[in-house]
Amino acid sequence: MSGQKGGPRLLSRSPGTGNTSNPVSPSSRKRRRKSAVGSPWTPYLFLAPAVLYIGIFQLFPLLQEVWLSFTRTTLLNPTLNVWVGLANYQSVLGDASFRQTLLTTLLYVTACVVGSVGLGLVVALLLNGRFPGRAVARSLVTVPWAAPGIAVALIAVWMFNPQFGLLTRVLKGLGIDPGENGVLDNPRLALAAILMTTIWQLVPFVAVVLLSALQSVPQELVEAAQVDGAGRWMIFRVVTWQVLKPTIGLVAVLMTIWSLRRFELIWLMTRGGPLGSTRTLVIDLYSQAFESKQLGTAAAIGMVGIVISLIVIIGSRLVARAAAKEA
C-alpha cells in the first residue's frame, strides 16, 4: 500500500520543475524581434562619420569660399571682411588676362582628356592581347601614375633642360628650335611641354581602368562575330566599344576634374609662365591668394572653377542618360 501511495507522488511534479519549458511571453518576443531587426537609427550611425567628414572638410570650406567671394578680404587681415557683392566676379570676368587664363584652362583640359583617354585606350588594347611578358608590362605601365607629381615635374624639367635635356635634343633633331632659354621659357612650346608631361602621367590610370573593362567583354559575342566574318575593327565597333562606352565616359569626367585641379605640375615647371602662356585657373587662384594677397578675388576664381566642374558633371550625366535611352 505504501508503494502504491508513493507512486502517484513520484509521478506528480510541481510546476516550474523538470523538462517542461515555460511559454515565451509577448514582451520577450518583441525584444528578440527588435534585436534581430536592429534599431532604425543604425544606418544613420554608420553614415555619421562620412557625413561629419564631408561637412567639416568639404561643405564648410565651400560655404566659406562662397562667402569670401562676395567680400574684399586680404591675406594680411583675413578677419576683416568687407561686403562688396558681385564686385569680385565683375572684376574677374571683365579682366582680359582672366579670359585668356580661362581659354588656356579649357585648352589644357581638353587636350589632357582627349590625349589621356585616346592613348590610354590604345595602351589598354595592347595590354589586353597575349604576348610574352604581358604581366611585367602591365606592372610597369603603372609607374608614371604611382610617381608623385613633384617627382614627375622635376624629371620633366630635367628632360627639357636647354643644355643637356634629352627632349630638348630630340626637338632640335626634329628641326624645332626651343630658343636659348629652353622649351619651358618659350611661350609657344611651354604649354605643349606641360601637356606632354601631364598626359604621360595620366595615361597609365586610364589604361588600367579600361583594361579592367575589356576583361568584361563577352567572349561569346566576339566569337559569334568572328564566325560571321567580322574583322577586328567591326568587332571593336560593334562589341567592344559598346562595353567600353560607360567606362570611357566616367574616365573622361574624372580626367576633366583632375585636369582642372592640376597645380603642382604646372607650378613647378613654369609657375604659369612664360608671359602667362601656361596660366590656368588654379595657378591664377594661387597667385591672387598668396602673391597678390586678395582672398576675395581668389575665392571668386575658385567658384568659377567649381561652376565649370558642375557643368561638366551635369552634362556627362545628361549624355549618359540619353545614351541609355537610345540603347
Side-chain angles (χ1 to χ4, degrees), residues 131-209:
F131 56 89
R134 181 176 63 173
V136 177
R138 289 181 176 181
S139 301
L140 293 178
V141 77
T142 61
V143 172
W145 173 255
I150 297 176
V152 173
L154 294 178
I155 293 172
V157 170
W158 177 76
M159 297 187 72
F160 285 112
N161 187 277
Q163 281 78 32
F164 52 82
L166 177 61
L167 294 180
T168 301
R169 295 181 180 180
V170 172
L171 291 176
K172 289 181 179 180
L174 296 175
I176 301 175
D177 185 14
E180 297 181 358
N181 297 324
V183 175
L184 298 180
D185 284 332
N186 190 325
R188 298 182 294 105
L189 301 176
L191 183 60
I194 292 178
L195 283 172
M196 289 175 57
T197 308
T198 307
I199 293 172
W200 177 77
Q201 189 182 22
L202 294 179
V203 162
F205 174 81
V206 178
V208 171
V209 173

Side-chain angles (χ1 to χ4, degrees), residues 50-72:
V51 173
L52 288 175
Y53 174 82
I54 294 174
I56 295 174
F57 295 101
Q58 295 188 13
L59 183 59
F60 177 73
L62 177 61
L63 294 178
Q64 190 176 22
E65 182 181 358
V66 173
W67 164 255
L68 284 176
S69 67
F70 294 104
T71 63
R72 182 180 295 111

